[in-house]
Amino acid sequence: MTELILQRPAPSNTTWVAVCRLDDLEECWGEAALVGQEQIALFRLPGGQVHAVGNIDPRTRAAVMARGIVGSRGTAPTIASPLHKEVYDLVSGACLSGGEGLRAYPVRCVDGVVEVDVAA
């Protein structure tokens, strides 16, 4: 079994949930997934990086973040809301203009399967 950690380390009480195959995610494009009761947006970036944040836009409460615009600020990967263009850090979920942020989820890929910890 091979394991590749794709985002920040998860706490030791992590419960990983399989979401999709890594090959199902297109680079620089978001996909929405319902994991338990959580709507998440998954983003695969060049180099095999995968990030997961909440799919609910904090400003409008619409489930649209998976359709956001992938970009970067310096070396930090970002996602801009498709509605009001608020920009969020994909690693931490922080709003770069100081507003309410997105929830960021630990992500890993095991044997080509993307797993997310929604309990973190």
Side-chain angles (χ1 to χ4, degrees):
M1 177 168 100
T2 59
E3 178 179 328
L4 172 64
I5 301 297
L6 301 170
Q7 198 175 341
R8 63 185 165 86
S12 59
N13 62 345
T14 301
T15 303
W16 295 105
V17 178
V19 178
C20 64
R21 297 208 45 85
L22 181 62
D23 292 342
D24 293 335
L25 299 175
E26 187 175 333
E27 279 191 5
C28 297
W29 187 256
E31 292 294 340
L34 183 62
V35 181
Q37 298 297 313
E38 302 290 325
Q39 285 197 39
I40 63 169
L42 289 165
F43 298 92
R44 181 179 181 179
L45 302 181
Q49 295 179 11
V50 177
H51 298 279
V53 294
N55 193 41
I56 306 299
D57 182 319
R59 192 168 182 189
T60 64
R61 302 292 180 224
V64 297
M65 293 309 296
R67 295 295 163 246
I69 302 161
V70 175
S72 64
R73 292 271 173 96
T75 60
T78 62
I79 184 70
S81 169
L83 299 177
H84 293 284
K85 309 304 183 252
E86 291 282 346
V87 178
Y88 302 88
D89 183 299
L90 272 176
V91 176
S92 69
C95 179
L96 299 183
S97 63
E100 180 182 352
L102 300 169
R103 182 172 173 194
Y105 298 92
V107 179
R108 71 179 183 179
C109 186
V110 177
D111 294 331
V113 175
V114 176
E115 298 178 342
V116 176
D117 175 27
V118 294

